Amino acid sequence: MKMSRPFLFLLWMLPFFALAQKYTIHGVIRDKASGESLIAAGVYDLNSLAGANTNSYGFYSLTLPAGKVRLRYFYVGYEEVLLEFELSRDTTLDVKLSAGIQLGEVEITAGREESIERTTRMSTVDLPVDQIKKVPALLGEVDVLKALQLLPGVSGGNEGTSGIYVRGGSPDQNLILLDGTPVYNVFHLGGIFSVFNADALKNVTLTKGGFPARFGGRLSSVLELNMKEGNMNEFKGEGGLGLISSRATFEGPIVKDKASFMVSGRRTYLDLVTAPIFALAQSDSQDFGLKLYFYDLNAKMNWIVNEKHRLYLSGYFGQDVFGADFSERESNGASSSFDNGLNWGNITTSFRWNYSISPKLFANTSIHYSRYQFNIRSAFEDKRPPDRQKFGASYFSGIQDYSARTDFDYSPSPFHAIKFGVGTTRHRYSPGASQYDLSFSDVTIDTVLGDKPIWATESYLYFEDDMKFGRWGLNAGLNASSFYVQQKTYPSLQPRLSARYFLTDKTTLKASFATMTQFINLLSNEGAGLPSDLWLPSTRRIRPQESWQAALGAARVLKGEYELSAEAYYKSMNHVISYKEGASFLFSNEGWEDKITQGRGEAYGLELFVQKKKGKLNGWIGYTLSWNYRQFDEINSGRKYRFRYDRRHDFEIVANYELTKRWTLSATWQYATGNAITLPLLKYQTIDNTGWGITPVEVTGNKNAATMPAFHKLDLGAEYKMKKRGFIQHSLVFSVYNAYARANPFYIVTDQDYDPQTGQNKTVFKQVSILPLIPNVSYQFKF
Amino acid sequence: MSVISLNFNVMKKSLIACLALIGMIFSSCEDFFYKTIDIESEDFPPGIALSAIWKFPTNDDNPLIVSEALAVLDRAPKLIPKSTLTIYKNDALAQEIEITDGLGSVKSFSADPGERVRITLEVPGYQKLEAEQTVPDSTRILDVKFTRDTTVKLFGLEDIDLFEVRIQDDPGRPNYYRAQARYIFDRGAAGLDTSHFIALTPEFANRENQSDLISDEIFNGREFVLTFYDFGTFSTDPKYVFLELIQVTRDYYLNRESQALSEIANGNPFAEPVILHQNVRQGQGIFALSYATEWLILR
């Protein structure tokens, strides 16, 4: 049969059509032992050199030309997996990676690690939870936020506290997300510890700049903490007993490979320890009790419905309780009682639904609830029959969020990773109200003074595309948000851009520009994370905070192990808030808007960072040189002044070393220029408030013109793993906080000292320090 | 010995040793927690401070204080033994006063609303201090009303005396006031008792401890009602209410307010530091004026 020429031509072209066709490989990369999804794990085709990373749910999508593919799956600290096959259709490929050293039978090929120099993201640090757990901790309490304070560009607040100040920003400018839900007050015990139990966490990522468009609502940083999902294969547990608290975490399958759970709890027990002592001191006519504890409870369930759908339900419940009560009874039936206390805490819950709509399109829909509440109370009751008197006062404040969002990941090709989404949050702010309850004889008074709750709605949509072409990488996006409160709308368009250029195979240059808008404010005394912090919205009078930040940097990988980065940044902030001079928050009938003022902020600096994530010796070294200023028309006579945490130099070394199979040693050393403070400058005699008397007065100098002594300390730790007997691994953890007992300043005051030479008192500056050398030992178990 | 009991024994001994060590450390480290330090702060050479807060018209003398101004770590400042105060009204010399031992009073000097008063202070060995103020206007009181209200439940209590004063604020500029009211009791042979002050209701108070200082931010340029209250239970009812509405200068308001706030913040390391407002040039201190309008109302 004779074939027509056009038909022959088409037949000849057919293989070329097949070659030009592309197919998508997609799936989830998980930990083989636990079934936990791996975030930012990499998949890389060694033939075409195209690659992709998993998203927050372990999902990846990689579109490649039809034909032979050689896929390399990798993740830090895990064995690589290499798969070769003929790609001829869209393929679902879930891969499980094994943690630990590489085994001989797996073919390992050299290739570019997906690490700091490849990603377009800059100003971002992924901190392995295992590394966080090894950092020597105060009283043995592993603290995620204190570990973050050891990174360049991140300052802690006062010593011992967990506040983080990122690139000159204040604590309210950090968006802290636990499984996607904002957490507002992240401190226990007045800031000494954070609310995050490291045993419950899977990963911690801090973004300090170059924010992708999917993030919004805060000026200075985004801290993402993801809880473990729960071991899909077997029941596991770990925990510890310490000097002030104990913790336990249990996880396991509900249905193997289908559904799992994780529960983690922690509680201090000073009240339980002191209860017997108080019981001894009590008598028939007197009772007193002390409440002094905090607890955290993390819980999560997840269910793989099928290969397209997955559901998650997670929650966090935490509370700090301080209180004391006393009661006395008399033989004639009279009695009196006091009850004082303060408590604060968070509840967060989230429900999420993952849907792999197609090989290239992934969606996550979630609803969240977050609540923070703070309450101080004082009550007195006196009964002398027939009379009864009662007085009570309480102060309460807080914030509640109800939110929903949908996020899409779309990977049309290896050169584009597109994310877009939409969300909305309904905020309910309780700025602070005082309630008085008084009753005596026939009189009853019950009144509430202070601010009424404020409702506000925050909505946003975003689009970003992470593009790779040749030596260039570019992430461009736009976040459009709005805030509706008190019948006023604040719209905001926030462009975001970050770029990466390969100078060499291992060295990249990076640059970023981001604008951010923040509709929520935190009023706090510029000290520790005291529960007195008030979360307040932008209102008709208080404008949203705004910032823009530009950064330029370089990143390099050395010997495949060391990640080096250097970054310079400049950040400008507008409408930042501060208490007016002398303002107080407590039991005041003044509206909160009258207590604050808005102004400008400026921060710039240079960060140097070297990190080693793998190997017997791992850790990091960081150095920051920075300047940080504020200017308010109503503060410091309108002159620019140093921000309280303007620390010129900040240096940290964190090192962990696996000495033997049983012993692991760790050490951290920090040095930072002292905080900026305002000191009294001069004194004289003046007229008192009556207009007729004489009173001494001190006049302060320029705001924050003085500098506290430098802060530095050495923390040491050691973990001893005992011989494993049975199925439980026991270990002892020893730590010494502030090993050379440096008296770091907590605050400075003036006081009078007797001068023997003159025989009179003289004024001196006194330094208050709170944390000396503190040793600790705790017991840990794992199975 | 089982694994659990072995581990527990090791744990127990380690805990006891730790607690003992912590106890020893805390009990032996007083100097660690609170100690004297040297700290670099701004330099301040010795100077002079003048404090003069005057009211017109007045039957009393207007006081003033002249003090050393010293660095905060220096010795306690003393009053200046000898200085000379010169007062100018509308640029014309009005009085010259020698002040001894740092305490002076200005007698027989008065000024009217709108008049400019400038003072200079000379102290041997120091630069001449200067300050000036313009006498504020009198307050325009439109109406006063006294009611003995047996129905109003203020804080749940009955029988409230309410004393309302309606004023007209000047729209042209920010104005500041002090408001004071007193009962006057006729004690017969003992004379008049003017010691019982009645308080402004809390929503008018600007700061908790300066409850009689008011800024016109919330009622600028408009009529406004100030309300005083008292629970009003006396053996003998007061005969009069004495109302004194004093309009003060901005410097007066800022100085008094900042001084009160700094007293609250004093010693509290977590309070916002307060900068004391001053207006004396070539020195420290405050020169502030006020003008009082008085009403005597039959109760």
Side-chain angles (χ1 to χ4, degrees):
Chain A
M1 175 182 151
K2 205 173 179 182
M3 291 184 187
S4 67
R5 278 179 188 171
F7 180 77
L8 280 170
F9 177 73
L10 281 172
L11 204 59
W12 178 76
M13 284 298 293
L14 202 56
F16 294 98
F17 288 144
L19 277 173
Q21 274 209 305
K22 293 190 175 184
Y23 298 104
T24 301
I25 306 164
H26 76 284
V28 178
I29 302 177
R30 293 202 181 88
D31 179 300
K32 185 172 184 179
S34 66
E36 292 272 351
S37 54
L38 298 177
I39 300 171
V43 54
Y44 191 79
D45 176 38
L46 295 167
N47 291 342
S48 64
L49 304 182
N53 293 98
T54 57
N55 66 8
S56 303
Y57 302 95
F59 173 85
Y60 76 93
S61 173
L62 180 62
T63 300
L64 296 171
K68 193 173 180 185
V69 297
R70 294 171 73 214
L71 297 180
R72 177 172 160 259
Y73 291 84
F74 52 90
Y75 190 62
V76 171
Y78 284 71
E79 296 174 24
E80 298 170 350
V81 166
L82 189 65
L83 297 173
E84 296 184 43
F85 58 93
E86 192 73 28
L87 181 64
S88 56
R89 59 191 167 111
D90 288 338
T91 304
T92 302
L93 194 54
D94 291 339
V95 173
K96 293 183 180 178
L97 302 181
S98 299
I101 59 171
Q102 296 166 353
L103 299 176
E105 64 264 28
V106 176
E107 182 186 342
I108 304 301
T109 55
R112 286 187 292 192
E113 282 283 347
E114 179 62 19
S115 60
I116 190 172
E117 87 287 5
R118 284 187 58 83
T119 176
T120 51
R121 287 185 73 175
M122 64 184 301
S123 312
T124 300
V125 179
D126 292 308
L127 213 48
V129 176
D130 281 345
Q131 249 182 7
I132 293 173
K133 286 181 169 182
K134 289 184 168 57
V135 172
L138 175 63
L139 293 171
E141 294 296 321
V142 172
D143 193 314
V144 172
L145 296 187
K146 288 224 183 68
L148 291 174
Q149 291 174 1
L150 299 170
L151 296 174
V154 182
S155 295
N158 288 324
E159 193 207 355
T161 61
S162 299
I164 57 171
Y165 297 76
V166 181
R167 290 187 174 175
S170 47
D172 66 322
Q173 295 173 358
N174 305 315
L175 178 62
I176 301 177
L177 299 170
L178 181 64
D179 274 0
T181 309
V183 185
Y184 285 98
N185 187 285
V186 294
F187 307 113
H188 285 310
L189 287 183
I192 304 291
F193 303 111
S194 74
V195 302
F196 301 114
N197 180 356
D199 287 347
L201 298 177
K202 184 165 71 174
N203 77 297
V204 176
T205 303
L206 176 69
T207 304
K208 302 176 284 182
F211 303 99
R214 60 187 179 274
F215 295 126
R218 301 289 191 278
L219 300 192
S220 288
S221 80
V222 179
L223 177 62
E224 300 170 87
L225 305 114
N226 291 303
M227 282 200 264
K228 288 179 184 172
E229 288 149 15
N231 196 308
M232 284 274 186
N233 297 320
E234 52 183 340
F235 187 68
K236 293 275 190 189
E238 63 179 309
L241 287 169
L243 285 181
I244 67 161
S245 78
S246 291
R247 64 188 197 280
T249 301
F250 301 104
E251 55 180 313
I254 298 172
V255 176
K256 199 170 180 183
D257 279 334
K258 274 290 245 184
S260 67
F261 76 96
M262 188 277 302
V263 174
S264 183
R266 175 174 65 162
R267 192 195 192 277
T268 57
Y269 32 59
L270 186 61
D271 56 331
L272 300 175
V273 168
T274 56
I277 301 169
F278 282 114
L280 285 174
Q282 292 178 14
S283 65
D284 290 339
S285 60
Q286 289 182 341
D287 299 314
F288 42 87
L290 174 72
K291 290 173 217 155
L292 184 64
Y293 65 91
F294 72 76
Y295 71 84
D296 296 308
L297 179 66
N298 296 80
K300 189 166 182 176
M301 279 197 318
N302 84 94
W303 175 29
I304 302 173
V305 180
N306 54 39
E307 68 175 25
K308 281 188 175 292
H309 300 276
R310 187 168 184 175
L311 301 174
Y312 304 83
L313 179 65
S314 59
Y316 165 78
F317 311 89
Q319 184 93 347
D320 279 71
V321 178
F322 293 89
D325 57 83
F326 170 80
S327 62
E328 194 171 35
R329 296 170 294 282
E330 295 173 25
S331 55
N332 59 4
S335 66
S336 61
S337 64
F338 294 92
D339 182 16
N340 300 289
L342 68 95
N343 54 71
W344 70 94
N346 296 282
I347 293 176
T348 71
T349 56
S350 74
F351 174 77
R352 290 176 292 171
W353 166 39
N354 289 171
Y355 178 21
S356 296
I357 300 171
S358 75
K360 295 182 184 179
L361 185 61
F362 172 93
N364 175 63
T365 301
S366 55
I367 52 176
H368 306 271
Y369 170 73
S370 179
R371 189 199 80 178
Y372 163 66
Q373 264 191 354
F374 161 66
N375 176 269
I376 296 177
R377 69 182 187 288
S378 180
F380 163 75
E381 188 173 9
D382 187 72
K383 287 181 194 170
R384 292 183 193 281
D387 293 327
R388 177 173 166 268
Q389 295 182 33
K390 193 170 86 168
F391 172 77
S394 65
Y395 172 86
F396 49 89
S397 70
I399 181 172
Q400 287 183 63
D401 280 0
Y402 307 84
S403 56
R405 60 184 292 160
T406 299
D407 301 282
F408 296 90
D409 287 0
Y410 177 55
S411 307
S413 79
F415 311 108
H416 290 271
I418 295 172
K419 293 184 192 292
F420 59 96
V422 64
T424 186
T425 301
R426 188 91 170 117
H427 301 284
R428 182 183 189 270
Y429 302 86
S430 302
S434 304
Q435 182 171 13
Y436 302 94
D437 169 26
L438 167 69
S439 69
F440 58 91
S441 297
D442 299 328
V443 179
T444 301
I445 296 168
D446 189 345
T447 186
V448 177
L449 297 173
D451 298 290
K452 292 179 185 170
I454 303 173
W455 286 91
T457 303
E458 185 176 350
S459 304
Y460 64 89
L461 52 91
Y462 70 89
F463 177 90
E464 66 176 84
D465 187 4
D466 195 84
M467 299 165 272
K468 292 182 175 64
F469 35 91
R471 288 183 167 271
W472 286 93
L474 189 70
N475 183 307
L478 183 70
N479 181 300
S481 56
S482 74
F483 192 75
Y484 178 73
V485 63
Q486 296 175 337
Q487 294 170 331
K488 182 164 176 67
T489 300
Y490 288 107
S492 172
L493 280 179
Q494 302 156 45
R496 315 276 174 82
L497 186 67
S498 56
R500 176 264 288 147
Y501 175 73
F502 271 105
L503 273 180
T504 70
D505 217 31
K506 294 283 186 190
T507 306
T508 51
L509 287 181
K510 296 190 183 188
S512 70
F513 176 82
T515 61
M516 304 290 280
T517 303
Q518 178 170 327
F519 304 107
I520 187 171
N521 309 284
L522 173 64
L523 267 189
S524 60
N525 291 302
E526 286 185 345
L530 296 171
S532 61
D533 294 350
L534 297 177
W535 287 97
L536 301 159
S538 296
T539 63
R540 297 189 72 87
R541 281 173 62 181
I542 308 299
R543 294 188 58 180
Q545 299 184 48
E546 294 164 345
S547 76
W548 65 263
Q549 183 180 166
L552 187 64
R556 179 175 170 82
V557 171
L558 269 184
K559 295 181 184 176
E561 283 186 282
Y562 298 92
E563 295 183 352
L564 285 73
S565 70
E567 264 187 50
Y569 66 90
Y570 179 88
K571 179 159 72 178
S572 172
M573 295 168 276
N574 207 359
H575 309 304
V576 292
I577 68 167
S578 176
Y579 271 117
K580 290 180 183 173
E581 290 175 350
S584 68
F585 74 97
L586 200 54
F587 295 117
S588 166
N589 52 24
E590 188 176 45
W592 65 270
E593 287 171 291
D594 297 317
K595 300 179 197 175
I596 66 174
T597 182
Q598 292 195 280
R600 285 170 286 281
E602 183 185 48
Y604 48 91
L606 173 69
E607 296 170 9
L608 304 174
F609 189 53
V610 178
Q611 187 180 25
K612 183 173 186 286
K613 292 180 181 173
K614 301 180 287 191
K616 278 192 165 190
L617 174 66
N618 60 74
W620 67 84
I621 299 173
Y623 170 70
T624 309
L625 172 68
S626 65
W627 290 260
N628 195 348
Y629 298 100
R630 295 287 188 272
Q631 187 273 323
F632 296 85
D633 290 343
E634 293 177 79
I635 296 175
N636 201 40
S637 305
R639 295 187 301 268
K640 185 165 88 169
Y641 62 91
R642 294 169 59 204
F643 185 50
R644 181 184 171 93
Y645 301 105
D646 174 36
R647 293 171 172 159
R648 193 67 65 245
H649 305 280
D650 202 312
F651 178 81
E652 309 75 33
I653 300 178
V654 176
N656 304 308
Y657 182 61
E658 193 182 314
L659 186 66
T660 66
K661 279 192 176 172
R662 295 217 186 282
W663 283 99
T664 303
L665 306 176
S666 54
T668 64
W669 187 74
Q670 294 173 266
Y671 174 91
T673 310
N675 290 343
I677 51 168
T678 308
L679 292 177
L681 177 66
L682 60 104
K683 55 190 177 186
Y684 57 83
Q685 308 268 23
T686 189
I687 295 174
D688 70 7
N689 284 338
T690 67
W692 292 103
I694 302 176
T695 187
V697 68
E698 286 182 350
V699 179
T700 56
N702 288 319
K703 188 168 171 83
N704 292 345
T707 303
M708 288 166 83
F711 171 94
H712 56 88
K713 70 175 172 70
L714 172 69
D715 300 330
L716 301 171
E719 182 183 356
Y720 173 65
K721 285 188 183 137
M722 301 175 200
K723 236 182 212 179
K724 191 173 177 181
R725 289 191 185 139
F727 60 93
I728 300 179
Q729 173 68 61
H730 307 272
S731 57
L732 287 177
V733 177
F734 306 91
S735 66
V736 180
Y737 179 92
N738 197 6
Y740 53 80
R742 158 77 177 169
N744 285 308
F746 193 62
Y747 60 83
I748 310 281
V749 291
T750 54
D751 202 348
Q752 300 289 310
D753 262 1
Y754 179 71
D755 185 351
Q757 287 185 337
T758 61
Q760 291 181 334
N761 284 338
K762 65 173 182 178
T763 305
V764 293
F765 286 123
K766 293 277 195 185
Q767 168 184 295
V768 174
S769 304
I770 59 167
L771 295 174
L773 185 154
I774 301 177
N776 180 76
V777 62
S778 57
Y779 161 78
Q780 293 183 350
F781 66 89
K782 196 169 184 174
F783 62 87
Chain B
M1 186 182 280
S2 71
V3 169
I4 292 173
S5 62
L6 173 67
N7 291 334
F8 178 71
N9 281 333
V10 170
M11 178 69 176
K12 192 171 69 173
K13 285 174 187 170
S14 305
L15 270 171
I16 292 169
C18 250
L19 286 170
L21 188 56
I22 289 172
M24 280 164 46
I25 289 166
F26 271 93
S27 63
S28 65
C29 285
E30 273 185 51
D31 283 345
F32 177 95
F33 295 104
Y34 192 65
K35 65 179 187 182
T36 302
I37 56 165
D38 288 324
I39 189 166
E40 256 190 66
S41 59
E42 300 163 273
D43 285 331
F44 180 74
I48 301 294
L50 165 66
S51 303
I53 299 179
W54 297 345
K55 184 175 77 173
F56 305 114
T58 180
N59 295 325
D60 302 314
D61 300 338
N62 275 313
L64 63 99
I65 296 171
V66 184
S67 158
E68 289 178 311
L70 300 176
V72 72
L73 295 183
D74 212 326
R75 58 171 172 78
K78 296 175 184 167
L79 298 178
I80 297 294
K82 193 177 172 187
S83 56
T84 306
L85 180 80
T86 309
I87 307 172
Y88 299 86
K89 186 162 70 174
N90 296 329
D91 296 323
L93 176 67
Q95 272 195 34
E96 197 170 278
I97 304 165
E98 293 295 324
I99 300 164
T100 52
D101 298 325
L103 295 173
S105 59
V106 176
K107 306 179 200 315
S108 307
F109 174 77
S110 66
D112 292 322
E115 292 193 304
R116 279 181 292 108
V117 180
R118 181 165 63 91
I119 59 172
T120 64
L121 181 78
E122 291 179 69
V123 178
Y126 294 91
Q127 276 191 304
K128 190 194 307 188
L129 276 66
E130 279 190 57
E132 61 187 67
Q133 295 271 273
T134 299
V135 181
D137 289 333
S138 60
T139 307
R140 212 170 132 213
I141 299 175
L142 300 174
D143 190 36
V144 295
K145 188 171 73 170
F146 177 85
T147 50
R148 188 75 192 276
D149 201 316
T150 59
T151 60
V152 171
K153 295 287 188 283
L154 192 63
F155 304 127
L157 297 170
E158 300 178 356
D159 293 356
I160 304 296
D161 282 358
L162 286 177
F163 182 59
E164 296 176 342
V165 182
R166 196 155 57 91
I167 66 172
Q168 174 64 54
D169 183 61
D170 185 340
R173 57 179 183 276
N175 297 303
Y176 308 91
Y177 303 90
R178 284 187 78 162
Q180 293 183 346
R182 284 175 271 174
Y183 283 151
I184 299 178
F185 296 87
D186 189 348
R187 303 292 187 203
L192 295 177
D193 175 3
T194 62
S195 62
H196 186 92
F197 281 87
I198 54 178
L200 274 170
T201 46
E203 63 267 27
F204 300 115
N206 193 40
R207 292 287 187 270
E208 287 82 352
N209 64 336
Q210 283 286 288
S211 57
D212 62 355
L213 264 182
I214 304 162
S215 161
D216 73 347
E217 276 176 339
I218 51 174
F219 56 83
N220 188 28
R222 302 198 310 271
E223 284 182 20
F224 197 77
V225 178
L226 298 177
T227 308
F228 296 83
Y229 74 97
D230 196 277
F231 296 118
T233 307
F234 308 105
S235 55
T236 311
D237 278 346
K239 193 170 182 182
Y240 301 103
V241 176
F242 177 74
L243 169 68
E244 191 176 32
L245 257 172
I246 309 167
Q247 194 160 156
V248 306
T249 59
R250 184 171 182 274
D251 286 328
Y252 184 120
Y253 176 84
L254 292 177
N255 174 265
R256 294 289 90 185
E257 184 182 84
S258 59
Q259 185 166 329
L261 293 175
S262 68
E263 284 171 11
I264 295 172
N266 191 27
N268 179 358
F270 301 118
E272 294 298 315
V274 181
I275 298 184
L276 185 68
H277 179 79
Q278 305 181 102
N279 66 348
V280 172
R281 298 188 294 274
Q282 283 88 248
Q284 309 293 323
I286 182 72
F287 173 50
L289 300 181
S290 59
Y291 196 85
T293 307
E294 297 171 353
W295 282 49
L296 190 68
I297 301 106
L298 191 65
R299 182 177 173 279

